Amino acid sequence: MKTRTQVAIIGAGPSGLLLGQLLHKAGIDNIILERQSGEYVLGRIRAGILEQVTVDLLKEAGVGERVQREGVVHHSIELVFAGSRHPIDVHGLTGGKVVTAYGQTELTRDLMDARQAQGLATVYEAADVSVHGFDGAQPVVRYRKDGVEHEVQCDFIAGCDGFHGVCRASVPKGAITEYEKVYPFGWLGVLADVPPVSPHAIVYGNSDRGFSLCSMRSMTRSRYYVQCPLEDKVEEWSDQRFWDELRSRLDPELAARVVTGPSIEKSIAPLRSFVAEPMRFGRLFLAGDAAHIVPPTGAKGLNLAATDVKYLAGAFIEHYAENSAAGIDTYSQRALRRIWKAERFSWWLTNLMHRFPDTQGFGQRMQEAELDYLVNSKAASTALAENYVGLPL
Ligand code: APR
Ligand code: PHB
């Protein structure tokens, strides 16, 4: 069965859904092809901190109502090391900028609900999606649904299909360069319906037992992480073992305030830095995790996806509304400038806050000196704060 659209979007995660919404508002016809079910996509527990540019983009896409009502604004973060806690006044150091705690699951749900309400074409459980002819003027996407083969003729393909997607994998090897760094540990994450220990400041800990993070999804739902060895299995971590380990990595006052409860989600995720260059191949464009991955330490993954989509939507709108190729021709270079600076920040904060198996002696002293300098220097704290809220577009 053959259909036609202007932009074929592969992937119904945050990148694909946000792009679809922005294109629809600009009158650009698009279809989203997603290999999983909607429930499966919503079941992924991911990020939870939005930069202001991401919140503004949700408003622009017409789905900003709930995040403004339910999102929890944070003016500061806290660093815990050497047994004490140090606030970083992000709001004050950046001339009033903030971040908003709002789960990626909720953001995805808002985008899915809006798309469904507008009756836009989303094919879930699309099998064997493949992309063709993107080096020419008439790209084609093929997929199978309920045993029926489909072909979508389009002007452009947006690869929003994540790190393991088909789009980047379909680019000829000689046309793409990949940069990667894998970290020698993982993050064990727990979601629990208990009040957050620090509802107005995300807490990042560096203890001799490793990294810890205290975050939230709402005033009644908390998100916690502890660094763990890559070979650990989640079955080895009972809830009690997790809560004890988390408390052991916090300062005594904060540890005493942690409200524990049964985990509703518990998983171990590896950490990696990854960038694919370029992000455009003829009429195929990569956006979000399809093009880059950051270690979650700096909370940049979702926000980078949002700014890729902002640039890509603008490029398509310019093409159709002004018959201009300027945005399309500069998309990759423009997105990569922001991506590499967020990759640097995420890599830097990961190195600062985690214990590495091969770092002892001098390396450990360097980490401790940098933490001491960071919390006692306005210039160093400002550099952290301006990266944390998101560098200017
Ligand atoms: N065909 C169709 N869909 C696919 C295919 C394929 N071959 N491969 C992957 N997908 C879908 C996945 O099922 C997923 O729903 O593409 C979607 C990609 O979504 P994400 O992986 O969430 O990536 P993105 O939308 O860029 O969002 C980035 O998600 O992983 C987090 O930390 C990341 O917060 C960031 C955000
Ligand atoms: C989260 O809430 O999942 C979260 C918060 C801050 C981070 C990473 C993850 O740096």
Side-chain angles (χ1 to χ4, degrees):
M1 182 177 169
K2 288 188 178 180
T3 52
R4 184 162 208 330
T5 188
Q6 290 173 300
V7 180
I9 300 171
I10 317 299
S15 297
L17 288 166
L18 183 54
L19 179 61
Q21 196 60 23
L22 291 171
L23 294 181
H24 170 69
K25 284 185 75 72
I28 297 171
D29 188 57
N30 64 87
I31 185 171
I32 297 183
L33 304 175
E34 165 57 54
R35 79 171 158 194
Q36 305 289 359
S37 68
E39 296 68 32
Y40 184 94
V41 172
L42 282 173
R44 292 189 191 116
I45 302 300
R46 295 278 176 75
I49 296 297
L50 306 186
E51 294 176 1
Q52 191 57 45
V53 69
T54 304
V55 174
D56 294 345
L57 208 47
L58 293 173
K59 289 185 222 171
E60 186 183 326
V63 293
E65 191 272 328
R66 195 156 73 102
V67 63
Q68 291 180 94
R69 190 175 72 245
E70 296 179 13
V72 180
V73 171
H74 287 171
H75 285 208
S76 65
I77 63 175
E78 293 184 338
L79 304 183
V80 179
F81 58 92
S84 56
R85 206 157 8 110
H86 305 264
I88 304 279
D89 174 17
V90 166
H91 182 266
L93 289 166
T94 61
K97 293 185 180 178
V98 295
V99 293
T100 301
Y102 189 70
Q104 177 172 313
T105 303
E106 304 319 312
L107 179 152
T108 305
R109 190 190 313 280
D110 295 340
L111 287 163
M112 284 170 73
D113 290 350
R115 189 166 179 90
Q116 187 173 21
Q118 289 155 183
L120 301 181
T122 309
V123 180
Y124 285 100
E125 296 176 296
D128 294 334
V129 173
S130 60
V131 293
H132 310 274
F134 50 81
D135 52 351
Q138 294 166 324
V140 161
V141 179
R142 294 192 182 97
Y143 69 95
R144 192 174 61 257
K145 173 71 177 173
D146 300 334
V148 177
E149 298 295 335
H150 293 261
E151 178 174 291
V152 181
Q153 295 171 350
C154 53
D155 299 330
F156 301 106
I157 302 171
C160 300
D161 50 348
F163 185 66
H164 301 287
V166 65
C167 291
R168 190 180 74 246
S170 301
V171 172
K173 287 288 167 274
I176 193 167
T177 305
E178 298 184 349
Y179 301 85
E180 186 167 37
K181 176 181 179 56
V182 178
Y183 296 87
F185 40 74
W187 275 19
L188 167 62
V190 158
L191 195 64
D193 280 332
V194 292
V197 72
S198 172
H200 289 293
I202 308 286
V203 183
Y204 295 83
N206 176 333
S207 85
D208 55 11
R209 298 180 65 88
F211 174 77
S212 63
L213 173 55
C214 302
S215 183
M216 59 186 290
R217 289 294 176 268
S218 70
M219 298 309 271
T220 58
R221 176 167 286 191
S222 299
R223 181 66 166 160
Y224 292 107
Y225 302 90
V226 296
Q227 170 186 351
C228 67
L230 267 178
E231 49 279 359
D232 270 16
K233 300 283 176 282
V234 70
E235 300 76 35
E236 299 163 349
W237 282 87
S238 69
D239 286 1
Q240 192 56 53
R241 181 185 173 197
F242 176 84
W243 294 118
D244 293 345
E245 187 61 40
L246 174 73
R247 282 185 171 129
S248 73
R249 300 189 187 188
L250 301 175
D251 62 284
E253 190 269 330
L254 195 66
R257 284 184 9 216
V258 172
V259 177
T260 66
S263 60
I264 55 177
E265 194 270 349
K266 183 161 55 181
S267 55
I268 294 179
L271 276 70
R272 126 190 18 245
S273 299
F274 174 87
V275 180
E277 288 188 0
M279 293 166 61
R280 181 236 178 140
F281 309 89
R283 288 178 173 255
L284 170 65
F285 296 78
L286 302 180
D289 273 16
H292 45 76
I293 297 287
V294 284
T297 325
K300 291 298 168 198
L302 182 52
N303 294 299
L304 275 182
T307 41
D308 286 354
V309 164
K310 178 180 180 62
Y311 293 147
L312 188 56
F316 287 147
I317 291 165
E318 268 180 30
H319 167 83
Y320 286 110
E322 303 161 25
N323 197 24
S324 159
I328 280 176
D329 291 343
T330 57
Y331 164 71
S332 179
Q333 174 200 1
R334 199 173 171 211
L336 283 166
R337 275 197 69 204
R338 185 172 181 81
I339 289 158
W340 276 114
K341 284 193 280 248
E343 289 281 349
R344 183 212 64 83
F345 172 67
S346 304
W347 162 83
W348 169 77
L349 194 57
T350 301
N351 279 289
L352 181 66
M353 299 305 291
H354 290 73
R355 290 299 161 109
F356 288 71
D358 57 357
T359 305
Q360 279 87 32
F362 182 77
Q364 192 49 47
R365 286 288 181 270
M366 285 298 97
Q367 200 179 65
E368 290 160 8
E370 183 159 10
L371 282 164
D372 183 16
Y373 168 59
L374 182 61
V375 298
N376 290 294
S377 155
K378 188 169 190 294
S381 298
T382 302
L384 166 56
E386 68 176 7
N387 279 278
Y388 194 80
V389 297
L391 296 174
L393 283 175

